Amino acid sequence: MQVVQDICDAISNKRGNLQDQLMKAAYCFERYLGMPSDAWSDDVKNSEIDQRAVFKLRSVLIGFIEANQTDVNVGTAVWAFSKIANPDDKDFLIRLLGIYIENDPQVLYQIM
């Protein structure tokens, strides 16, 4: 679970290459869901990703998206967030549609 903690810390503190960390978050969701991928880094491949880790990543991504609506990385954050495909997140995604429908077609596309 250390890889998840490292990803969460980097995203929360906007430290390092955020694109890489957001991609790793998406890969963690894929790994949790049992999707095979050759794109995963070794630290993701070798990590135990459980429900607690997924919840932590999900929470950090929601916080990042809400706090950084104009950040260049928000589209990637929304894309990563969408990987978990949790039906409980429908209201959050609808709220994001309202924010980005007129403002940023790139992020809007990721929401859809």
Side-chain angles (χ1 to χ4, degrees):
M1 179 125 152
Q2 185 59 46
V3 70
V4 171
Q5 186 61 50
D6 292 345
I7 294 166
C8 289
D9 289 346
I11 293 170
S12 295
N13 297 313
K14 293 177 82 171
R15 187 182 73 235
N17 185 330
L18 279 181
Q19 288 288 316
D20 285 348
Q21 298 305 315
L22 292 166
M23 294 291 286
K24 280 186 179 183
Y27 297 155
C28 287
F29 290 149
E30 289 176 350
R31 183 156 168 24
Y32 175 76
L33 294 171
M35 300 173 170
S37 177
D38 292 331
W40 301 340
S41 58
D42 287 341
D43 55 349
V44 171
K45 285 179 190 174
N46 298 326
S47 293
E48 191 66 35
I49 310 295
D50 59 14
Q51 189 173 15
R52 192 175 83 222
V54 167
F55 182 78
K56 184 174 181 87
L57 280 170
R58 180 184 166 276
S59 296
V60 166
L61 287 173
I62 288 173
F64 178 84
I65 293 164
E66 289 180 332
N68 298 283
Q69 293 179 3
T70 60
D71 190 286
V72 68
N73 296 299
V74 78
T76 305
V78 170
W79 170 79
F81 178 80
S82 72
K83 289 287 188 173
I84 200 60
N86 183 342
D88 295 336
D89 295 327
K90 185 173 88 173
D91 290 339
F92 175 66
L93 292 170
I94 290 170
R95 193 167 73 246
L96 290 180
L97 281 171
I99 293 168
Y100 292 104
I101 198 160
E102 297 293 333
N103 298 325
D104 191 333
Q106 299 286 347
V107 176
L108 179 64
Y109 177 76
Q110 297 304 325
I111 296 166
M112 297 170 67

